[in-house]
Amino acid sequence: MKFFVDTAELDDIKDLAATGLLDGVTTNPSLIAKSGREFVPLIKEICEIVDGPVSAEVAATDYPTMRKEAEILRKIADHVAVKVPLTPDGLKLCKELSDDGTMVNVTLCFSAAQALLAAKAGAAFISPFVGRLDDISHDGLDLIADIVRIYDNYEYFDTEVLVASVRNPLHIVESAKMGAHVATCPPSVIRQLYNHPLTDKGLAAFVKDWEKTGQSIL
Ligand code: E4P
């Protein structure tokens, strides 16, 4: 499973890129607003840090304006994935950009039917929002299972399932069990993946016992 980080904070991106475990970055207008940074130069900086797909979302909702915005975004770098909303205009743009060799991430997916449309439009990624479904008492992970199953039925679908709106490590682990290709996670959730109390306890015991030996490997 690939790990993307869902943030527009450069310090977090640099920190996680240094682990060697980061495969890409996703941003959205809310994350850009939170960063306080100017959008296009920020995406350019992110693209210099991370080699994998960097999602940059169009701001408009009508096809002609989204098209113009996408033109600017895809010129930032070859590994920019233009992010479009799951609307008729968004999918029309998705098809056009995908046919032209640009990666497209279709966002705000909340149903299997929508995911089917995105695959038919040639999306590189479909972003089902697990946490936001959980928030309204629908099991977000059920949607991941449905989409993975549907995509598996058609080998000509190349769209990767990018699990979004991830709130905890279980969302990632359960999605991985289902075979989802990517999880995009807040930095804090990626860091939580390392944690286990028995690791801490076991390591403390090993350190203490090693000290008893009086030895040094160096
Ligand atoms: C996906 O690409 C979105 O940026 C993101 O995962 C949304 O998550 P949220 O529901 O925590 O805002």
Side-chain angles (χ1 to χ4, degrees):
M1 178 182 242
K2 285 177 264 190
F3 286 169
F4 291 0
V5 66
D6 196 30
T7 187
E9 302 300 327
L10 282 178
D11 285 348
D12 278 322
I13 294 169
K14 283 181 195 157
D15 185 51
L16 289 164
T19 67
L21 302 177
L22 190 65
D23 301 297
V25 177
T26 53
T27 63
N28 65 38
S30 306
L31 294 170
I32 299 296
K34 200 170 151 204
S35 77
R37 290 283 315 267
E38 204 185 322
F39 183 35
V40 171
L42 176 61
I43 296 296
K44 198 164 176 237
E45 270 194 71
I46 296 174
C47 285
E48 282 160 11
I49 301 166
V50 177
D51 292 336
V54 174
S55 289
E57 187 161 342
V58 294
T61 55
D62 65 286
Y63 171 79
T65 317
M66 281 195 286
R67 182 78 189 79
K68 285 183 202 152
E69 291 175 344
E71 219 35 70
I72 291 167
L73 297 178
R74 71 171 172 174
K75 281 194 185 119
I76 296 173
D78 286 346
H79 57 299
V80 163
V82 176
K83 210 168 167 192
V84 303
L86 208 153
T87 60
D89 278 10
L91 291 186
K92 179 179 169 185
L93 181 57
C94 173
K95 178 83 175 96
E96 197 179 313
L97 294 173
S98 302
D99 284 351
D100 204 28
T102 295
M103 278 188 290
V104 179
N105 176 356
V106 177
T107 191
L108 292 168
C109 171
F110 294 94
S111 78
Q114 291 178 320
L116 194 51
L117 289 175
K120 287 185 68 68
F125 303 103
I126 180 67
S127 290
F129 278 40
V130 171
R132 292 194 196 186
L133 278 170
D134 287 354
D135 289 345
I136 59 159
S137 303
H138 284 254
D139 190 341
L141 289 170
D142 279 352
L143 175 59
I144 303 302
D146 282 349
I147 299 173
V148 169
R149 182 163 167 224
I150 289 168
Y151 284 7
D152 276 354
N153 285 341
Y154 302 96
E155 60 184 33
Y156 53 85
F157 282 165
D158 294 327
T159 306
E160 295 193 13
V161 180
L162 193 168
V163 182
S165 189
V166 165
R167 301 275 160 81
N168 55 59
L170 210 52
H171 278 157
I172 303 171
V173 172
E174 291 301 318
S175 300
K177 279 153 87 174
M178 292 165 190
H181 307 85
V182 193
T184 189
C185 321
S188 58
V189 177
I190 296 183
R191 293 186 182 113
Q192 280 179 56
L193 292 172
Y194 289 94
N195 298 340
H196 198 289
L198 291 180
T199 304
D200 299 340
K201 192 179 166 196
L203 187 58
F206 286 158
V207 167
K208 209 170 154 201
D209 288 343
W210 178 251
E211 278 168 8
K212 287 183 204 158
T213 70
Q215 298 179 46
S216 161
I217 298 172
L218 299 176

